[in-house]
């Protein structure tokens, strides 16, 4: 079923990443077949379980790792539309649209995260503040800026 296809796709991605790390200092070519196989399995998983957010979420990560920003954003948006609260996906979508000066689309991704009562990580909160400011929603930006940061948010990757 869909879960088995997803698990096999995840295995292919992990296999690809392990080979990629091993080949960093080598002249060998990295075989794209594992990722192509993962993408094919994820397409089947999406068809088998249309409401599940995991396959497009993993597809987005694959496309992002390959530098295909448009395909990654499309996949992440599909995952978000299917109910994903993954902050990485929301951040990538919002960052992409913010960089394109499409602030309403960036705000849409942030609102979906807020509407799902998901905890907003500090890095997404900072981006949201920039988006709200660009939309001249200063009260909203100020409210978010006044939100206390927890110790978990202030980790090395999320310095305040």
């Amino acid at each position: 079923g869909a879960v088995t296809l997803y698990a096999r796709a995840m295995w292919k991605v992990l296999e690809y990443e392990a080979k990629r790390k091993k080949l960093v200092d080598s002249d060998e070519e990295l075989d794209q077949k594992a990722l192509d196989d993962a993408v094919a399995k994820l397409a089947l998983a999406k068809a088998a379980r249309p409401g599940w957010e995991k396959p497009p979420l993993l597809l987005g990560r694959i496309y992002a790792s390959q530098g295909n920003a448009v395909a990654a954003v499309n996949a992440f948006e599909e995952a978000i539309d299917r109910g994903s609260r993954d902050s990485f996906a929301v951040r990538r979508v919002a960052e992409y649209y913010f960089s394109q000066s499409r602030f309403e689309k960036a705000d849409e991704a942030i609102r979906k995260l807020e509407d799902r009562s998901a905890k907003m990580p500090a890095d997404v909160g900072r981006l949201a503040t920039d988006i709200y400011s660009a939309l001249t929603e200063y009260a909203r930006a100020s409210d978010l800026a006044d939100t206390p940061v927890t110790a978990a948010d202030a980790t090395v990757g999320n310095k305040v």
Side-chain angles (χ1 to χ4, degrees):
V3 175
T4 301
L5 289 167
Y6 177 79
R8 288 181 180 159
M10 179 62 87
W11 179 258
K12 291 291 185 183
V13 171
L14 293 172
E15 182 179 273
Y16 175 85
E17 286 299 315
K19 286 180 183 176
R20 185 180 64 80
K21 288 177 183 173
K22 186 188 263 185
L23 295 177
V24 166
D25 297 323
S26 140
D27 290 336
E28 285 183 60
E29 287 286 319
L30 188 59
D31 183 15
Q32 187 70 22
K33 185 180 176 342
L35 282 187
D36 293 342
D37 193 30
V39 169
K41 286 181 178 8
L42 290 169
L44 292 171
K46 281 174 39 176
R49 200 165 167 190
W52 194 26
E53 79 276 4
K54 294 290 187 186
L57 193 59
L58 184 54
L59 275 171
R61 288 181 181 268
I62 291 170
Y63 295 140
S65 75
Q66 294 177 323
N68 189 342
V70 173
V73 166
N74 289 336
F76 287 143
E77 283 185 310
E78 183 179 355
I80 293 165
D81 289 344
R82 290 178 178 207
S84 176
R85 297 184 306 196
D86 186 275
S87 62
F88 178 82
V90 171
R91 185 178 71 244
R92 291 300 293 258
V93 169
E95 285 173 339
Y96 175 78
Y97 287 124
F98 186 81
S99 73
Q100 303 287 315
S101 297
R102 295 177 63 193
F103 305 121
E104 292 81 13
K105 288 291 285 181
D107 181 46
E108 186 180 310
I110 298 293
R111 283 185 189 269
K112 286 179 181 176
L113 184 64
E114 290 174 332
D115 290 348
R116 294 189 179 117
S117 301
K119 184 177 179 307
M120 190 177 302
D123 59 337
V124 177
R126 283 189 298 277
L127 176 60
T129 301
D130 292 341
I131 292 166
Y132 301 156
S133 295
L135 291 170
T136 64
E137 294 185 20
Y138 301 116
R140 217 169 139 207
S142 178
D143 288 347
L144 190 57
D146 290 339
T147 304
V149 176
T150 65
D153 288 333
T155 61
V156 173
N158 293 324
K159 287 189 176 179
V160 179

